[in-house]
Amino acid sequence: MELRHLRCFLAVAEELHFARAAERLHIEQSPLSRAIKELEEELDTKLFLRTTRSTRLTHAGRLFLEHVPRVFIALQQARDSVKAVANGFRSQLRMALSDGISPSRFSSFLALCRQEEPEVEIRLSEVSLAQQIKGLHEDLYDAGFAQSDEVGDGIVATQAWSDPLMVAVPARHPILSHKRIPLEELLRYPLVLCDPQACEGHARQVERFLRQTGTEPLVAEQVTSCDLMMALVAAGFALGLTGESNIAACRESGVIGRPLAGCCPVLTTYLLRSTREPSVTLVRFIERVQTIQPAEGV
């Protein structure tokens, strides 16, 4: 089994069409089919069910697809590690980011890391929460940040920092007559919220807060990023709910942040890592997170 076999398998598994997969790989369809046949002979099982009208994965093919991307991630990480050493770095940390965590908080933390330990390269991957947890289990990442502590067995979630939950309001909106917005007033208007598929932890914390009201909110749109949320708010589409630092970092001039009245809900960001024994470099990284929490937490 060679890497070319795995590349061919991955292309066909994702395209589910031999002609498109061959075009994607810049090869003829004949050598692609031959590579898949060689792989199936190596594994002694069919990976695809192919008819004149369709191509689909067998059960064995679906199981194989769960593992193959890891090979290429690990290979890329090995390349990156070698390049890091060649560029003068002593070691490397592989960090996963999920839930659209606050850019200003994270950039401040990264600046501290570079200042205190410039010889450690930090490589970042933006992934979903489910992918981060899976990657931590499979040693694809050393640690990560997300806005959820519901991570299951084998993962440790430690609070990194918290951010006040605030209302993002379009300029000249009538609700701006309130310096602190009552919850019942907020729920009179449509909201734009983060999609739980894209920002699971963020959406879960906001949903948990709204559920306490006993009133079903009017959700106008669910978006995949806070940037898109701010764009819709600036356009007067709806009100948004997100962390104070996300609103402060917003580049849209037509967005104003307002705190909620009578309560102080927060969005909490967690550092996630495997329960495996951490490296010395990761231990120092974790300690650094813990030292900045009192200064930046709420």
Side-chain angles (χ1 to χ4, degrees):
M1 189 185 301
E2 301 174 11
L3 282 174
R4 66 181 178 87
H5 292 115
L6 299 183
R7 288 193 181 95
C8 289
F9 168 78
L10 198 56
V12 177
E14 291 177 348
E15 298 290 343
L16 291 179
H17 193 283
F18 273 74
R20 286 198 300 268
E23 184 180 348
R24 168 173 153 181
L25 294 170
H26 307 292
I27 61 174
E28 296 296 323
Q29 193 168 333
S30 176
L32 173 62
S33 298
R34 187 164 56 250
I36 296 298
K37 183 179 179 182
E38 290 170 356
L39 183 59
E40 290 178 330
E41 288 174 352
E42 169 77 18
L43 296 171
D44 195 26
T45 188
K46 281 282 185 185
L47 298 172
F48 296 98
L49 292 175
R50 190 177 180 186
T51 69
T52 55
R53 292 189 173 187
S54 68
T55 299
R56 58 191 177 91
L57 285 160
T58 64
H59 178 62
R62 289 194 297 273
L63 290 176
F64 197 53
L65 182 59
E66 292 181 10
H67 297 278
V68 170
R70 285 210 309 271
V71 175
F72 292 102
I73 293 173
L75 181 61
Q76 186 59 50
Q77 289 179 344
R79 287 174 177 151
D80 292 341
S81 295
V82 171
K83 287 180 182 178
V85 172
N87 290 331
F89 291 105
R90 189 188 66 202
S91 58
Q92 185 184 76
L93 283 175
R94 304 160 300 166
M95 306 300 301
L97 304 177
S98 306
D99 296 328
I101 67 168
S102 165
S104 59
R105 299 275 179 148
F106 190 63
S107 61
S108 298
F109 177 64
L110 282 184
L112 180 63
C113 291
R114 286 180 61 84
Q115 176 186 334
E116 295 189 351
E117 215 164 2
E119 69 278 11
V120 175
E121 183 187 39
I122 298 177
R123 296 202 66 86
L124 306 175
S125 300
E126 285 191 279
V127 296
S128 68
L129 178 60
Q131 288 174 310
Q132 178 175 162
I133 292 171
K134 189 171 186 288
L136 289 169
H137 279 297
E138 296 174 352
D139 196 30
L140 296 178
Y141 310 119
D142 298 301
F145 290 94
Q147 291 184 330
S148 177
D149 60 350
E150 299 174 33
V151 291
D153 297 334
I155 304 294
V156 177
T158 307
Q159 182 173 328
W161 55 73
S162 294
D163 210 18
L165 183 66
M166 293 186 67
V167 185
V169 186
R172 297 182 297 278
H173 193 283
I175 207 170
L176 288 173
S177 60
H178 300 275
K179 294 299 181 186
R180 302 183 69 88
I181 298 175
L183 193 51
E184 62 273 14
E185 187 69 15
L186 170 71
L187 294 175
R188 290 180 50 214
Y189 297 95
L191 302 176
V192 53
L193 304 176
C194 281
D195 187 331
Q197 295 297 318
C199 302
E200 183 179 341
H202 182 290
R204 195 182 295 163
Q205 290 193 51
V206 172
E207 180 193 11
R208 192 179 300 136
F209 165 68
L210 292 174
R211 199 186 303 137
Q212 297 173 359
T213 67
T215 302
E216 190 70 24
L218 176 59
V219 180
E221 190 66 69
Q222 291 184 324
V223 295
T224 57
S225 70
C226 284
D227 284 344
L228 183 52
M229 178 190 292
M230 295 302 106
L232 293 179
V233 170
F237 192 79
L239 304 178
L241 268 179
T242 190
E244 178 183 40
S245 55
N246 278 324
I247 298 175
C250 170
R251 293 185 293 270
E252 301 285 350
S253 59
V255 176
I256 298 170
R258 282 284 192 271
L260 289 154
C263 58
C264 298
V266 296
L267 283 173
T268 302
T269 297
Y270 298 89
L271 172 70
L272 309 185
R273 67 174 181 86
S274 165
T275 53
R276 291 186 298 271
E277 188 69 24
S279 67
V280 174
T281 303
L282 182 56
V283 167
R284 288 196 297 268
F285 183 89
I286 294 167
E287 289 173 347
R288 198 171 293 122
V289 173
Q290 293 168 341
T291 61
I292 68 167
Q293 184 185 334
E296 296 200 26
V298 175

